[in-house]
Amino acid sequence: MRVIRKYANRRLYDTQQSRYVTLEDLRRLILDEEPFRVEDAKTGEDLTRTILLSIIIEQEQADGDAEVFSNDLLQQLIRVYAMSQPLPLARYLEQGTRLMLEQQKRLQDQWQQAMRHTPMELMREMAEENMRFWQQAMMRSPLDKDDDESR
């Protein structure tokens, strides 16, 4: 597990690569599915969750067209926290998000498979197969032809 240390000056230090990193660098680690833990440099306290929330906030602010959390949704989440017995929302969101990502990947794989069998792709594959056939035919030695004729 990669350890990232957060210093009092708010800088993040990657102990594996021995360099300072940004939230964007950590976002890339997440996209690459590389596990890491962020800890306070002085106390060792786990700050991973806080940093992950910071990455989400940065994403929300960076791309207004791709907002995931609408104002209404954020207000509803705040209401869940205020309930006397909060709903088991974390597990539900984790499972729902995992399912959504798996379905998205499956859909992309199916789309790529469908695109592979377009008429142009089929013609290209046939042309390549014909080329291999003729290359093999041309590479036969003249002795092979003599053997074929004598039979």
Side-chain angles (χ1 to χ4, degrees), residues 100-118:
M100 181 190 69
L101 290 172
E102 287 171 3
Q103 288 175 341
Q104 179 69 20
K105 171 106 175 77
R106 206 171 313 132
L107 183 63
Q108 287 174 343
D109 291 345
Q110 289 174 351
W111 180 253
Q112 287 176 347
Q113 189 71 10
M115 290 305 292
R116 186 174 170 269
H117 296 294
T118 62

Side-chain angles (χ1 to χ4, degrees), residues 73-102:
L73 176 59
L74 291 170
Q75 291 170 4
Q76 290 176 29
L77 288 173
I78 291 168
R79 288 185 193 107
V80 168
Y81 281 100
M83 296 173 79
S84 59
Q85 290 194 347
L87 301 170
L89 189 59
R91 186 171 175 200
Y92 174 77
L93 289 174
E94 287 173 10
Q95 291 175 346
T97 303
R98 185 175 296 118
L99 176 64
M100 181 190 69
L101 290 172
E102 287 171 3

Side-chain angles (χ1 to χ4, degrees), residues 35-76:
F36 65 87
R37 169 187 157 90
V38 180
E39 60 185 39
D40 185 277
K42 190 181 280 186
T43 66
E45 177 187 359
D46 186 359
L47 302 174
T48 307
R49 188 168 180 270
T50 303
I51 295 300
L52 293 173
L53 287 167
S54 297
I55 292 169
I56 290 171
I57 290 168
E58 192 171 270
Q59 281 294 129
E60 285 285 312
Q61 292 173 343
D63 191 358
D65 293 337
E67 286 181 356
V68 173
F69 297 100
S70 68
N71 290 342
D72 188 47
L73 176 59
L74 291 170
Q75 291 170 4
Q76 290 176 29

Side-chain angles (χ1 to χ4, degrees), residues 125-138:
E125 288 176 6
M126 288 173 49
E128 286 177 358
E129 191 175 320
N130 286 340
M131 182 65 82
R132 281 191 296 273
F133 170 79
W134 288 110
Q135 285 173 338
Q136 289 172 357
M138 298 297 273

